[in-house]
Amino acid sequence: MTNASHPFGDEEYMTVTLTTTPHDATVPIDPDDWAEGGMPRQSYASPWSVASPKHAAIVRRQGRLRESFVRTVIEEMETYLESPVETP
């Protein structure tokens, strides 16, 4: 989910990788998590695998996930991030 603060929001997206391979840390995508579209097989979001592809690189849109699912993925993603330690 990209918000208005994304500096190139009309040219790029913020994404995480979707995979059909379950891993311990992936977030399973249930059919009800899709607001529109979907995947033909059970799929999972990989919150540690973030990318910012250009609009022109998008070949086919899979659909749109519900905000509640996106928030869950963001919460998981935050577990991989650490604020920098400020030094005086």
Side-chain angles (χ1 to χ4, degrees):
M1 175 181 294
T2 301
N3 64 26
S5 68
H6 190 293
F8 302 102
D10 57 342
E11 298 173 30
E12 299 179 344
Y13 302 95
M14 291 296 299
T15 66
V16 297
T17 299
L18 298 187
T19 180
T20 56
T21 305
H23 297 287
D24 288 342
T26 53
V27 181
I29 305 172
D30 296 326
D32 291 343
D33 292 326
W34 292 96
E36 58 186 67
M39 296 287 281
R41 294 176 42 200
Q42 174 63 56
S43 298
Y44 307 85
S46 303
W48 63 87
S49 182
V50 181
S52 186
K54 302 271 189 221
H55 179 74
I58 305 299
V59 175
R60 185 171 59 93
R61 185 173 180 250
Q62 291 298 130
R64 185 172 57 87
L65 290 157
R66 297 190 187 285
E67 184 177 341
S68 59
F69 179 83
V70 173
R71 291 195 181 283
T72 298
V73 172
I74 291 170
E75 288 171 8
E76 290 298 317
M77 183 189 307
E78 288 174 340
T79 66
Y80 298 99
L81 303 173
E82 185 175 310
S83 296
V85 177
E86 292 187 31
T87 56

